[in-house]
Amino acid sequence: MGGSGWRKALRGFKLCVHSPLAAEGDSDVRPPVTPSDPSAALPSPDPSDSQPPAPTQSSSGVRPRVSTSGSGLSKRTCAICLTTMKPGQGHAIFTAECSHSFHFHCIASCIKYGNHVCPVCRAKWKEIPFQGPSNSPRARSTVNPVNINRHHAYSFQHPLLLNLEPCIFNDDEALDTTSKASGVCHSGSANTVVIKTYPEYSAIPESISTDNFTILIHLKAPLAPRTEASSQNVRVGDEVPRTHRAPVDIVTVLDVSGSMSGTKLSLLKQAMGFVIQNLGPLDRLSVIAFSSTARRLFPLRRMSEFGRQEALQAVNALATSGGTNITEGLRKGAKVIQERKEKNPVCSIILLSDGQDTYLLSPTLRNGRHTQPDYRSLVPSSIRDGTVHNVPVHVFGFGSDHDSVSMHSISETSGGTFSFIEAEGAIQDAFAQCIGGLLSVVVQEMHVQLECLHHDVQLQCIKSGRYASWIRDARRSGTIDAGDLYADEERDYLVSVNVPPEHHETQLLKVSCVYSDPVTKGVISPAAVELKISRPESVVSQPISIEVDRQRNRLHAAEAMAKAKAAAEHGELSEAVCLLEECRKRILESEAAKSGDQLCATLDAELREMQARMVDRQRYEASGRAYVLSGLSSHLCQRATMRGDSTHSVNFTQSYQTPSMADMIQRSQTFSPVTRHSNSKMRHTMSFPAGPKPR
């Protein structure tokens, strides 16, 4: 019996296997074998693949290796499910002839894929565990010789053709309503959103009027909820500390097309393993895999100890083949969310792809020219039109061949973020940063309300980035939909008003907000803040507010990025570089930059990096476009995204990084120390059939 199935199922999970690279011809997605699915189809044995695979090298020339000492793996830890193995816990333990031990149900489930090689040391086994078919009178655990022929016991069909999915995805696991982790104390101002206002200038001469006076509205979310145990002492396989936070429903939509083979798939499995290990027992996870079509590999399940084992098996069963049907993957992910019977307070979709949608976005000609694809059509209507309320899609473009325009559009349409993962080793940190935010949501559906106080003051404009805003009541009031906030997250908006002549002082604006607490479901309205400025007879000189100037620079940079991208798309790369250079000079001459402001320094460095990626068409196509779009997503959402080689752009990703995000990234680096040194770029592989890059 061949070993190809086992190798494909576990080669990518670094804590489980020695991680050789996959062959280009991996088979399609295999449904995981779990205790609830004993009849799942299995691959046919392949006599030509009976030897352990020869180690191959990654595109960087460095072969990924497992570090059992660095990962926290020990002889008492099952290398498959990463939980402890102790006699008397109700689980049989299988010890192979090479002396490595596993839970019997873990090794038996995976051995059905045809492997007889140890996932730790790669030793070839002479005897393997075998779980008999459930309808057999002797359906119990046994150990069989490796040359046994079991063709009669199982038949093989193409896994994506198996009709194992229900018509309606209402089989989500029930929520745990008995948990103590359901309350948050709201005593004290530290547990509500803090509102601050900063006028452009603190005083205006009484005889002067202005039509464009800028006010900064600054919001800061409550502190992170406390945990019952210190997360810094959590080891791989340990129970995640119980936290008084809102539990989440996460649906991962993962690209397993042919171009994801090799190192990419290995790192994806490793990153998903990290996500699974860091979700709590109240959180739920579902896994969707897509290539030419899409399958729900794992229903929405709570990440209890058993749920994690099932999820890890589902992820380890991932294999690659076919084209890239992002649309179908997202449609199935939205279906899981829309048809679930119960709902956790926080919900999100995580989408990762390294290619271009080769199905919905086929090029069309009109009057001899290629038409611009409708990228919004990639997003399911239930998310696009609000049927599935408040479900952002956080998108990760992997490598240099993904369609960054379409993926950025998906994130923008759904209210999520777009990250560009250029370096192979950055995928786990990117996922860690994302879930670090999702696991710390403390504010939902926040609406910021603006009210002019003086009878002659009117709102002129609201600069809120990607957050919707309205001006109404004859410009006397306005609203900003600020959405959700992570713990300790900050949000800044610039508002322009007119200021009439007046003596002594002028009351300008009243700012208030209302939002929902995701844990208690209560509606919270923090104390409103009123802004007024003094009106002396004369003002000799006064400095501009550094806070206002800083946010102006952020918006100027985002505007320059958008204009430079538009110029680059038309082939005017030199013009794009000039636009970025003009913005750099403007920022460096600002009062905020002269004061040593860190955000201004970060913007300057980021704009220089974008200029370097626009030196020629080839580099812009390979990384410049994705880098700019990820930067735009970050600055307009005011939320941290990964872009480029994160090891060389730390300041960029930390601009909006919350403490919860930073903590999760630190866990990620502890979880997999070996790959921290892998900064190699992706191989230039394409999903097939390949579609043209957007112009």
Side-chain angles (χ1 to χ4, degrees):
M1 182 176 60
S4 60
W6 171 272
R7 188 172 72 254
K8 293 171 185 173
L10 288 180
R11 77 164 80 95
F13 199 11
K14 185 171 67 64
L15 295 177
C16 298
V17 301
H18 176 71
S19 189
L21 302 186
E24 293 297 326
D26 286 350
S27 63
D28 227 319
V29 182
R30 298 188 181 92
V33 180
T34 66
S36 60
D37 184 20
S39 60
L42 305 170
S44 301
D46 183 3
S48 65
D49 196 22
S50 59
Q51 297 298 324
T56 58
Q57 293 193 346
S58 66
S59 58
S60 64
V62 179
R63 184 180 64 188
R65 294 189 60 85
V66 178
S67 176
T68 56
S69 60
S71 65
L73 201 63
S74 70
K75 292 183 178 180
R76 290 179 295 178
T77 302
C78 175
I80 297 177
C81 68
L82 304 181
T83 58
T84 57
M85 298 183 297
K86 293 182 180 179
Q89 288 185 332
H91 298 295
I93 297 175
F94 171 75
T95 301
E97 55 222 70
C98 60
S99 80
H100 291 115
S101 298
F102 314 89
H103 285 126
F104 199 101
H105 66 270
C106 292
I107 200 69
S109 295
C110 296
I111 215 72
K112 292 178 181 178
Y113 290 125
N115 181 74
H116 46 86
V117 175
C118 176
V120 176
C121 67
R122 311 303 296 166
K124 184 179 179 181
W125 288 342
K126 297 178 180 179
E127 292 185 334
I128 59 172
F130 173 51
Q131 182 77 39
S134 59
N135 59 354
S136 169
R138 299 182 60 189
R140 58 181 182 177
S141 301
T142 59
V143 177
N144 286 353
V146 296
N147 60 352
I148 188 171
N149 190 332
R150 294 199 302 273
H151 279 248
H152 65 279
Y154 301 99
S155 61
F156 174 69
Q157 287 179 281
H158 194 287
L160 291 184
L161 300 180
L162 293 173
N163 186 25
L164 300 178
E165 292 182 346
C167 296
I168 300 176
F169 290 164
N170 61 355
D171 54 349
D172 52 300
E173 185 173 359
L175 303 179
D176 183 358
T177 58
T178 63
S179 172
K180 297 179 181 179
S182 60
V184 169
C185 176
H186 282 278
S187 60
S189 60
N191 290 308
T192 60
V193 170
V194 176
I195 306 173
K196 293 183 179 180
T197 57
Y198 299 88
E200 182 178 5
Y201 297 99
S202 59
I204 298 178
E206 60 182 13
S207 60
I208 299 297
S209 65
T210 176
D211 293 330
N212 190 26
F213 186 79
T214 303
I215 300 168
L216 170 65
I217 299 172
H218 176 81
L219 308 171
K220 185 170 183 178
L223 300 175
R226 64 181 178 87
T227 57
E228 296 181 3
S230 174
S231 62
Q232 297 179 355
N233 297 324
V234 178
R235 297 177 302 174
V236 175
D238 288 350
E239 184 74 12
V240 174
R242 190 177 294 273
T243 176
H244 295 277
R245 61 165 175 82
V248 302
D249 284 345
I250 295 179
V251 179
T252 55
V253 180
L254 308 175
D255 186 347
V256 291
S257 60
S259 58
M260 279 292 296
S261 61
T263 307
K264 292 182 182 180
L265 183 63
S266 299
L267 294 172
L268 173 59
K269 291 180 179 181
Q270 175 181 297
M272 281 300 301
F274 174 81
V275 171
I276 292 166
Q277 291 294 339
N278 281 276
L279 293 178
L282 303 185
D283 303 316
R284 300 191 299 178
L285 175 72
S286 179
V287 180
I288 307 293
F290 70 91
S291 54
S292 302
T293 184
R295 278 198 65 79
R296 188 194 67 169
L297 297 185
F298 187 68
L300 205 55
R301 288 285 183 266
R302 288 195 293 112
M303 290 295 97
S304 59
E305 180 181 355
F306 181 71
R308 286 183 193 154
Q309 292 179 16
E310 285 191 311
L312 287 171
Q313 289 180 7
V315 169
N316 286 335
L318 291 173
T320 59
S321 182
T324 306
N325 196 337
I326 297 175
T327 309
E328 183 63 15
L330 280 177
R331 186 194 68 79
K332 195 143 290 188
K335 179 179 172 69
V336 170
I337 293 172
Q338 187 173 13
E339 297 177 354
R340 56 188 168 155
K341 292 183 298 184
E342 300 185 60
K343 300 179 181 180
N344 266 327
V346 180
C347 182
S348 181
I349 294 176
I350 293 177
L351 167 67
L352 179 135
S353 177
D354 76 329
Q356 306 174 32
D357 190 290
T358 51
Y359 292 85
L360 184 65
L361 297 182
S362 300
T364 58
L365 289 175
R366 181 177 297 176
N367 299 327
R369 293 185 177 183
H370 288 288
T371 59
Q372 182 71 20
D374 179 16
Y375 294 113
R376 281 176 52 88
S377 62
L378 290 169
V379 182
S381 58
S382 58
I383 295 177
R384 186 173 66 242
D385 302 333
T387 304
V388 178
H389 186 59
N390 197 28
V391 180
V393 181
H394 295 289
V395 183
F396 298 86
F398 199 20
S400 60
D401 294 321
H402 74 277
D403 185 351
S404 57
V405 176
S406 66
M407 301 194 77
H408 175 262
S409 180
I410 291 170
S411 68
E412 188 176 32
T413 302
S414 65
T417 55
F418 168 64
S419 292
F420 168 38
I421 306 174
E422 183 178 25
E424 290 183 351
I427 179 173
Q428 184 169 298
D429 282 355
F431 276 18
Q433 180 168 264
C434 181
I435 66 169
L438 294 174
L439 296 181
S440 66
V441 172
V442 292
V443 171
Q444 284 188 311
E445 301 178 17
M446 183 167 71
H447 301 284
V448 181
Q449 297 158 346
L450 313 175
E451 180 184 348
C452 295
L453 296 176
H454 192 280
H455 58 86
D456 286 332
V457 173
Q458 292 181 327
L459 296 173
Q460 302 303 309
C461 71
I462 301 174
K463 296 182 179 180
S464 55
R466 195 158 291 166
Y467 301 96
S469 61
W470 296 269
I471 295 177
R472 53 180 180 273
D473 300 332
R475 296 190 171 273
R476 296 282 297 161
S477 66
T479 302
I480 304 171
D481 282 353
D484 297 355
L485 268 69
Y486 303 150
D488 301 292
E489 191 171 31
E490 300 180 30
R491 206 62 65 71
D492 295 286
Y493 307 108
L494 292 180
V495 178
S496 295
V497 300
N498 70 300
V499 180
E502 190 175 16
H503 300 292
H504 305 303
E505 68 178 20
T506 303
Q507 292 185 319
L508 295 178
L509 204 62
K510 177 181 178 181
V511 182
S512 61
C513 72
V514 60
Y515 61 89
S516 172
D517 184 298
V519 176
T520 66
K521 306 296 192 297
V523 176
I524 299 177
S525 300
V529 173
E530 295 186 359
L531 174 67
K532 59 184 178 181
I533 58 172
S534 62
R535 305 301 299 273
E537 290 186 6
S538 63
V539 177
V540 178
S541 65
Q542 60 178 328
I544 189 173
S545 166
I546 297 300
E547 290 79 7
V548 172
D549 202 33
R550 176 192 301 122
Q551 297 306 319
R552 275 182 173 168
N553 287 338
R554 173 180 63 85
L555 293 176
H556 288 326
E559 184 179 357
M561 293 174 194
K563 289 181 178 179
K565 176 186 174 297
E569 296 298 331
H570 288 90
E572 301 171 357
L573 291 172
S574 59
E575 174 66 17
V577 172
C578 288
L579 288 169
L580 297 176
E581 182 64 22
E582 291 175 3
C583 183
R584 283 189 59 229
K585 291 179 179 178
R586 183 174 181 177
I587 290 175
L588 293 175
E589 293 172 357
S590 68
E591 292 300 320
K594 292 177 182 178
S595 70
D597 180 70
Q598 182 59 48
L599 178 59
C600 294
T602 298
L603 291 172
D604 175 60
E606 187 173 4
L607 291 170
R608 281 190 281 109
E609 179 67 20
M610 290 180 182
Q611 287 178 304
R613 293 173 185 260
M614 291 183 173
V615 292
D616 55 53
R617 190 70 187 176
Q618 181 178 3
R619 186 161 190 198
Y620 176 72
E621 293 279 356
S623 68
R625 178 188 289 117
Y627 194 93
V628 172
L629 288 173
S630 184
L632 279 172
S633 177
S634 180
H635 294 305
L636 294 180
C637 290
Q638 299 181 64
R639 187 158 278 175
T641 65
M642 288 286 182
R643 47 196 176 278
D645 180 358
S646 63
T647 59
H648 295 154
S649 58
V650 174
N651 289 335
F652 307 162
T653 60
Q654 289 182 346
S655 297
Y656 310 101
Q657 197 176 84
T658 67
S660 298
M661 291 177 171
D663 175 69
M664 195 62 71
I665 290 179
Q666 185 178 13
R667 291 195 208 179
S668 170
Q669 294 169 348
T670 303
F671 184 84
S672 63
V674 175
T675 59
R676 310 316 310 158
H677 307 290
S678 176
N679 299 324
S680 56
K681 307 301 187 295
M682 299 299 169
R683 293 176 296 163
H684 289 259
T685 55
M686 298 290 293
S687 298
F688 32 87
K693 287 185 178 291
R695 297 287 178 181

